[in-house]
């Protein structure tokens, strides 16, 4: 059951690619990736937990190997991404799962949690922001585009998609270069070079403001439903600051917060440490009778 399996699940007009491992009767962890990557970001984490959990990592529409309709016939918004992943969980008969949310996966996953709080057994937020305190001062071009969605401001966001930005800023900032494999960022760079990929990502950058508008609703969900939460954060993340991890404790006083000596893509260098923290957390967050030993 340690072997990673790969499949495609049809959800309406979207073919959702996913990878999974673990026993089909084990507690489920739904792994939601971020920007500009795909489910391959979990390639090191999945084998470390597959002995005790069923791990399922889909590629969001517009990312990785998931096939979705082109712009103009499919709305590349976070609401629509959440709709597809909601349909994916239902098609896969996932009626109870822990959520691992990272970057873009956070607003997607938290939309799911608000829609179906009864399905969420726990949340692991790895640099998955839900508080304005988590924003660094590097968001200027995106915020300008949100305020004035014109062609000039759209073009000003395009450098966020450039190979050097992906390689050196997103992956490289705060990461130990001796531990940082090129596999992850070079694959992301290749995905971004596909025809039409940049325009889809610029649409999502514009729509990102809808996530910030939902932060109060996300926080209300935390207070009302009290999901067990582990915030495990690369402290050197240039986009999402450690304050975003600590802020979870305002609404969830029992939330566990761990800051790693890592960057935004903490799993690239600290997968084993994250897996160890997750095991200890999930042992207490999920009914032990349901956890394989």
């Amino acid at each position: 059951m340690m072997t990673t399996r790969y499949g495609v699940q049809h959800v309406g007009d979207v073919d959702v690619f996913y990878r999974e491992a673990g026993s089909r009767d084990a507690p489920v962890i739904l792994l939601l990736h971020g920007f500009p990557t795909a489910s391959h970001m979990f390639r090191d984490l999945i084998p470390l937990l597959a002995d005790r959990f069923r791990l399922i990592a889909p590629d969001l529409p517009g990312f990785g190997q998931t096939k979705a309709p082109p712009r103009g016939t499919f709305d590349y918004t976070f609401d629509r991404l959440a709709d597809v992943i909601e349909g994916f969980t239902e098609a896969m008969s996932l009626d109870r799962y822990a959520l691992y949310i990272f970057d873009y996966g956070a607003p997607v996953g938290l939309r799911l949690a608000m829609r179906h709080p009864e399905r969420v057994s726990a949340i692991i937020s790895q640099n998955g922001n839900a508080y304005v305190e988590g924003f660094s001062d590097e968001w200027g071009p995106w915020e300008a585009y949100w305020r004035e969605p014109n062609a000039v401001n759209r073009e000003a966001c395009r450098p966020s998609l450039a190979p050097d930005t992906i390689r050196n800023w997103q992956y490289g900032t705060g990461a130990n270069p001796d531990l940082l494999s090129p596999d992850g960022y070079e694959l992301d760079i290749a995905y971004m070079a596909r025809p039409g990929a940049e325009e889809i990502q610029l649409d999502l950058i514009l729509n990102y403001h809808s996530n910030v508008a939902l932060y109060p609703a996300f926080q209300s969900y935390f207070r009302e439903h009290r999901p067990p939460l582990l915030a495990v954060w690369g402290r050197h993340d240039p986009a999402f600051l450690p304050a975003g991890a600590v802020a979870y404790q305002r609404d969830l006083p029992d939330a566990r917060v761990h800051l790693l000596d890592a960057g935004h893509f903490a799993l690239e260098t600290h997968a084993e440490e994250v897996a160890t923290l997750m095991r200890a957390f999930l042992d207490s967050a999920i009914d032990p009778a349901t956890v394989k030993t």
Side-chain angles (χ1 to χ4, degrees), residues 68-280:
R71 296 174 68 238
T73 59
F74 183 91
D75 292 328
Y76 284 92
T77 67
F78 284 87
D79 280 343
R80 191 72 183 95
L81 267 55
D83 291 343
V84 171
I85 299 304
E86 180 181 12
F88 172 79
T89 63
E90 292 171 350
M92 297 284 289
S93 299
L94 306 181
D95 55 9
R96 186 75 169 162
Y97 45 80
L99 274 172
Y100 186 114
I101 54 176
F102 165 74
D103 191 82
Y104 277 19
V108 173
L110 293 176
R111 280 171 168 82
L112 265 62
M114 289 198 305
R115 295 176 188 180
H116 301 286
E118 75 285 354
R119 297 180 183 175
V120 178
S121 60
I123 297 174
I124 301 95
S125 176
Q126 187 255 296
N127 297 73
N129 200 50
Y131 295 86
V132 293
E133 294 95 323
F135 285 113
S136 74
D137 59 3
E138 300 281 349
W139 290 74
W142 290 33
E143 291 172 339
Y145 189 28
W146 303 342
R147 290 192 300 269
E148 297 183 58
N150 56 42
V152 171
N153 286 336
R154 185 178 178 90
E155 286 304 307
C157 294
R158 199 175 294 274
S160 298
L161 313 177
D164 283 348
T165 305
I166 295 172
R167 181 185 300 111
N168 299 320
W169 190 79
Q170 291 184 309
Y171 274 82
T173 303
N176 183 338
D178 293 334
L179 302 178
L180 185 62
S181 168
D183 299 346
Y185 59 74
E186 291 297 345
L187 182 54
D188 288 349
I189 290 168
Y191 281 145
M192 192 62 68
R194 296 183 298 188
E198 285 197 0
E199 300 311 315
I200 287 172
Q201 294 304 322
L202 290 169
D203 289 350
L204 287 169
I205 288 172
L206 175 59
N207 188 248
Y208 197 91
H209 73 89
S210 70
N211 303 326
V212 183
L214 280 175
Y215 281 2
F218 295 159
Q219 295 156 20
S220 178
Y221 157 77
F222 297 146
R223 292 191 297 271
E224 180 179 355
H225 295 283
R226 316 294 292 181
L229 187 138
L230 168 66
V232 56
W233 218 264
R235 66 168 70 244
H236 307 301
D237 188 334
F240 295 123
L241 303 174
V246 176
Y248 279 107
Q249 293 179 321
R250 185 169 68 230
D251 296 306
L252 294 168
D254 295 330
R256 304 184 189 183
V257 176
H258 293 269
L259 302 179
L260 305 174
D261 188 22
H264 184 63
F265 283 95
L267 291 181
E268 294 294 315
T269 55
H270 287 68
E272 290 190 7
E273 189 170 351
V274 172
T276 299
L277 290 168
M278 288 177 64
R279 281 182 183 273

